[in-house]
Amino acid sequence: MIREIRLLSARGTPEESAMPFAGLHQLLGSLQAEVEALPPVHRDAIHVALGSRDASCTDLVLYTAVLRLLESLSPLLIRVEDAHHWDRSSIAALRFAARRARGVAILLTGAELPSAAEVPPDEDLAARLEARSSDATRRGGIASAAMVLREAARLSREPERHRRTAAAAYLAWKSGQPELARTLVAEATPERHEPSVARVLDRLHGLIALGDGDQLSAHDHLLRSASEPGTLFMAAAAAHHAGLPLAPIASRITAADPAFAEYAGLLARFTELSADAHTSDPWRLRAAAPHALPESDAHQWLWPLVLSRSGPSARQAYDFGRSALAEFSANGMHAVLVLPQLWLAELEFDLGHWDRAQARAEEGIRSTEDTGQRARRADFLATLALLAAARGRPCRDEATAARELALPLHNELAAARATWAIGLAELSNGNAETAAEHLASITHRFVARLATGDLGEALVRAGNTAEAQATLEAWRPWAEHTTSPLVHARLARCQALLSAEDSNIEKHFTDSAAHCEDHPFDQARTQLLHGEWLRRTRRPSQARPLLRAAFETFTRLGAAPWADAAEAQLRPTGGARPKAATLTEQELRVAQLAAAGLSNREIGTRLFLSPRTVGYHLYKAYPKLGVSSRAQLRGLDLAQMPSTERGASCLSGQTSHATSVGPIT
């Protein structure tokens, strides 16, 4: 049955344009029953914003609550007349919903806000407005708080005028309004003022540029304004994107506050990937946070998440990152939220959670559009390009868009990852020479090192073994020094391709597969190359299980050209095309609980089975799922996977018999 479209309407008035959430109060006033039906966290957020409950709330929680409320009414049409007279926080909440809500159409009519006329100073009124701004911030109305504080600044004399304008600019940045923040910074800087105000404005210039501007400029402004480790940490983020060294910034962090010496030491080694498992444990790092970082500070999560990514356990960093994102979703800020979103998407790509990475990167792009962060949008586009490339799909659109955004902003990191994506796409589709040209052109040193494994394989497949050997020798000292299992896996794979003795080749392939247990795409690529070599050396019975495992993993990931190549190599070994694996109902339930982290004993208690029986079911399920360990179960989408009792397969779709990844001859 087709539901009738519901209509909600409201009209802005000049008298209420400076009142935080006045527009939402008018729009949602008739929806008390629907508000009460929301989950408690969202229900309470709306009550706080509308003034019916006294508590604190963040803008992100409120915007999400409005989104959920409007989606519950779909199909819904919202029309706001004279929207230019609505308060900024209400407009921001509706725009957030408009980008995400399904079945909800939002129409805003009205001209842009006119510029305010000059008014005589009134310190008493300015102070009252500043207090109102603080109240709006507490209720989650940061967007309106910025506008109210701007009005307070206009009513102020110097130096209060510049202090309040700078504070309004910070709130505008914090609420994801970089253009308004830029305008306010310009209003606060007709000339240089006292050093404290100058530092605040430099910091704002840097923070705005970090998300939406030139990364070199962000680096310079943040360094110039830096008097504490948090600002220097953001300067390091800009430096990494611009391809600048991190060690000098790490030294300044230690000098600014010796309590951050451990954090600074890990930051200095970030691009070397040389941290050990203990020192890079994110939960330990958070527990050992310096006292200068209060528990509510976003940096309590940002520092450990970033620093653990340089350690040997991508999975540990990922699990911590998911907790960080959950914390940010409840208490974070728009301008900061995209950072853990981005890092998680990159980790999900490495760990083989490709569907999650795709969804997270797409959501990240929507967030950067909401908050005006072009530099971060380039990062997300590069991640989407890499995902498409690994799957053998066209990636030129995402890669080109990433480079066009990144290069003018000196975001060398995103541009390099986009180039890597193009090279990987060419390699996936059998164009080894073209792949090598693109991969060799990467100029960001860190990305170039990470992509060297692909470059070495492309050179070998293209028959350019001399250059491949030179590339390997130049890369080996750095790769051997890292503690990254993924880098060691790629190094061993390249060594296998270039070794002359069979015993060394076998050892390198075995080492490579062992190092990438948490990285199914790389593990399957090693299995494919190992199987190719075994088949060429007339050992089909040994090649067959490796090629079959590679085929199943590539198929599960959706890496079609690689699956085709594995199947093409498998057929000459006498191995028929693998049948679609199926799980029994019990195997599926056991696998789902194991993936959730339960032990065999805990699973047995829940399903009334002995631990031995649970172990047997896992033993039977692993090869069907194309995994070899309990940890790899976490990378599978088992929630939607049907079982044999329902007559469905664990592997979906059919692959063609055309081979894209060319064999090594």
Side-chain angles (χ1 to χ4, degrees), residues 271-272 442 444-453 475 478 487:
T271 57
E272 301 306 310
I442 296 173
H444 191 285
R445 190 178 183 189
F446 182 64
V447 178
R449 284 170 164 175
L450 293 179
T452 299
W475 182 45
W478 175 83
V487 171

Side-chain angles (χ1 to χ4, degrees), residues 493-545:
R493 191 163 68 222
C494 282
Q495 289 174 314
L497 291 175
L498 290 165
S499 294
E501 297 183 11
D502 284 6
S503 59
N504 288 336
I505 295 173
E506 185 69 36
K507 178 183 182 302
H508 289 315
F509 275 134
T510 302
D511 288 347
S512 178
H515 280 303
C516 51
E517 185 180 73
D518 283 342
H519 304 281
F521 181 55
D522 274 82
Q523 188 175 60
R525 287 176 64 179
T526 296
Q527 290 167 335
L528 171 59
L529 289 167
H530 193 179
E532 285 184 21
W533 173 72
L534 288 169
R535 187 183 68 78
R536 288 197 312 275
T537 54
R538 295 180 173 80
R539 286 174 278 182
S541 62
Q542 293 176 262
R544 194 178 304 122

Side-chain angles (χ1 to χ4, degrees), residues 22-91:
L24 284 185
H25 200 288
Q26 181 188 162
L27 188 70
L28 308 181
S30 63
L31 303 176
Q32 292 92 337
E34 290 85 349
V35 170
E36 293 303 316
L38 292 172
V41 65
H42 296 147
R43 177 198 65 207
D44 294 346
I46 291 179
H47 279 306
V48 169
L50 301 188
S52 56
R53 189 163 301 169
D54 186 21
S56 296
C57 181
T58 68
D59 56 338
L60 182 61
V61 174
L62 172 64
Y63 296 172
T64 303
V66 172
L67 169 64
R68 298 292 174 252
L69 175 61
L70 298 182
E71 283 188 329
S72 73
L73 303 173
S74 67
L76 175 66
L77 173 62
I78 296 174
R79 181 179 178 86
V80 179
E81 302 281 355
D82 297 329
H84 59 290
H85 288 315
W86 252 32
D87 63 282
R88 290 278 181 163
S89 289
S90 295
I91 289 290

Side-chain angles (χ1 to χ4, degrees), residues 119-464:
V119 292
D122 186 335
E123 180 55 36
D124 183 59
L125 178 56
R128 292 203 303 273
L129 287 172
E130 186 170 12
R132 182 190 290 182
S133 171
S134 297
D135 180 65
T137 299
R138 185 178 62 87
R139 291 164 54 199
I142 302 177
S144 284
M147 298 304 296
V148 172
L149 198 52
R150 183 188 195 185
E151 291 304 312
R154 286 176 171 163
L155 292 166
S156 307
R157 292 186 174 90
E158 295 184 14
E160 288 298 288
R161 174 190 291 264
H162 300 296
R163 179 187 67 79
R164 286 171 173 148
T165 302
Y170 178 71
L171 288 177
W173 170 80
K174 187 177 178 182
S175 61
Q177 303 179 81
E179 288 306 318
L180 176 59
R182 283 192 181 95
T183 299
L184 291 169
V185 167
E187 290 179 5
T189 54
E191 58 192 42
R192 281 289 171 185
H193 308 291
E194 60 180 90
S196 62
V197 175
R199 280 196 300 272
V200 169
L201 294 173
D202 259 339
R203 180 169 178 262
L204 274 168
H205 274 297
L207 291 173
I208 294 166
L210 180 61
D212 192 50
D214 187 292
Q215 301 302 284
L216 289 175
S217 175
H219 168 266
D220 293 346
H221 278 295
L222 290 168
L223 278 187
R224 189 162 51 240
S225 66
S227 58
E228 41 81 30
T231 302
L232 288 165
F233 177 73
M234 304 305 276
H240 185 51
H241 279 85
L244 301 177
L246 301 183
I249 299 176
S251 297
R252 286 191 56 172
I253 290 172
T254 302
D257 188 341
F260 283 80
E262 183 182 15
Y263 279 12
L266 286 170
L267 182 64
R269 304 199 305 274
F270 178 84
T271 57
E272 301 306 310
L273 300 181
S274 58
D276 62 43
H278 173 71
T279 58
S280 63
D281 179 346
W283 292 106
R284 186 196 68 80
L285 287 170
R286 184 167 187 267
H291 293 302
L293 286 182
E295 191 169 340
S296 60
D297 195 322
H299 285 266
Q300 278 261 353
W301 295 93
L302 291 177
W303 282 84
L305 176 55
V306 170
L307 298 176
S308 64
R309 291 179 65 218
S310 67
S313 178
R315 183 168 297 284
Q316 189 179 55
Y318 176 62
D319 290 342
F320 180 85
R322 294 176 71 182
S323 297
L325 192 63
E327 180 75 12
F328 283 6
S329 295
N331 302 301
M333 304 175 299
H334 280 302
V336 174
L337 187 65
V338 296
L339 294 173
Q341 280 183 317
L342 173 62
W343 298 329
L344 278 176
E346 292 173 355
L347 284 167
E348 283 164 340
F349 174 73
D350 285 345
L351 291 167
H353 308 330
W354 288 1
D355 288 342
R356 296 181 202 170
Q358 180 88 21
R360 198 180 301 281
E362 290 171 351
E363 171 63 20
I365 287 175
R366 288 191 291 271
S367 295
T368 61
E369 290 169 349
D370 286 341
T371 57
Q373 298 193 63
R374 291 172 296 161
R376 300 292 77 78
R377 193 180 315 152
D379 292 329
F380 283 114
L381 285 166
T383 298
L384 287 176
L386 279 166
L387 278 163
R391 284 172 158 155
R393 299 173 183 171
C395 72
R396 286 277 180 174
D397 288 349
E398 293 91 344
T400 300
R403 287 178 56 82
E404 288 178 349
L405 271 174
L407 289 174
L409 303 179
H410 291 101
N411 186 350
E412 305 295 337
L413 183 69
R417 295 181 78 240
T419 302
W420 185 3
I422 295 172
L424 179 58
E426 296 290 352
L427 181 60
S428 298
N429 290 296
N431 304 317
E433 289 186 8
T434 306
E437 290 174 6
H438 285 290
L439 294 167
S441 72
I442 296 173
T443 56
H444 191 285
R445 190 178 183 189
F446 182 64
V447 178
R449 284 170 164 175
L450 293 179
T452 299
D454 289 344
L455 173 58
E457 182 176 340
L459 289 168
V460 172
R461 288 191 182 278
N464 195 343

